[in-house]
């Protein structure tokens, strides 16, 4: 199985901050990497697929980059509605696997 | 646009079989892939398995011996069966879909299943 490691596991940030979350795969996954946002009590919401393609309707403050084993999700200017847990997921090979999550909290 | 709605038994006893259904509205199965994912309370996401629009399946090896995922194209429904459940199977279960294998574009609302004697 491909292991997905996210860092940090949690972070505190202020409204307006630029936030970067990192995801590392245990082996190369090309660009078969997705990012999700999950708020308490809600289903995950797809933000980015193909490592850098924005899902329809997702604001452009979210961006993704990377290829191979190292990937990043960046939120350019954190807003109150962005406080949530973020997960990466690889779909290069089965079984599909997720990172452990990064909880973004208000400072 | 495709919407997914889930339902199923919320409380099970150990050794029983979990059964969940996910209905598809605003679209069909044609060309899409359908997955089940679970999330234990306060924990991360675990992929359970996937069925393609043609009926081909992929399962997580950790659950493969207990899982069956299938499509009912006449009803536009996806189903999950997980046998011999234990307390470790307590989780919120989600269905999800996307236009190619492994891509989880849209998710159902989730269904909490609790296993307790």
């Amino acid at each position: 199985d491909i292991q997905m490691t996210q860092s940090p596991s949690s972070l505190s940030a202020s409204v307006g901050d630029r936030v970067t979350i990192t995801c590392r795969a245990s082996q190369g996954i090309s660009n078969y990497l997705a990012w999700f946002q999950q708020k308490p009590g809600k289903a995950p919401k797809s933000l980015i697929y193909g490592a850098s393609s924005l899902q329809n309707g997702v604001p452009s403050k979210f961006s993704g980059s990377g290829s191979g084993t190292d990937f990043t999700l960046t939120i350019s200017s954190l807003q109150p509605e962005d406080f949530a847990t973020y997960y990466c997921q690889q779909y290069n090979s089965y079984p599909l696997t997720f990172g452990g999550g990064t909880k973004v909290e208000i400072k | 646009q495709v919407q997914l709605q889930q339902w199923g038994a919320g409380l099970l006893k150990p050794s029983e079989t979990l059964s969940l259904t996910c209905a598809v509205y605003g679209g069909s199965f044609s060309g899409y892939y359908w997955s089940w994912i679970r999330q234990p309370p306060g924990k991360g996401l675990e992929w359970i398995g996937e069925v393609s629009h043609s009926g081909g399946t992929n399962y997580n090896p950790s659950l493969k011996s207990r899982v069956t995922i299938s499509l009912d194209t006449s009803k536009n429904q996806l189903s999950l069966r997980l046998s011999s459940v234990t307390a470790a199977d307590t989780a919120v279960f989600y269905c999800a879909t996307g236009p190619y294998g492994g891509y989880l574009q849209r998710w159902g609302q989730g269904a909490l299943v609790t296993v307790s004697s």
Side-chain angles (χ1 to χ4, degrees), chain A residues 16-30:
Chain A
D17 283 354
R18 180 183 180 89
V19 168
T20 298
I21 299 168
T22 297
C23 180
R24 174 166 289 176
S26 61
Q27 63 190 77
I29 60 170
S30 185

Side-chain angles (χ1 to χ4, degrees), chain B residues 20 45 57 63 77 98 110:
Chain B
L20 294 175
L45 300 162
T57 54
L63 297 167
Q77 292 178 357

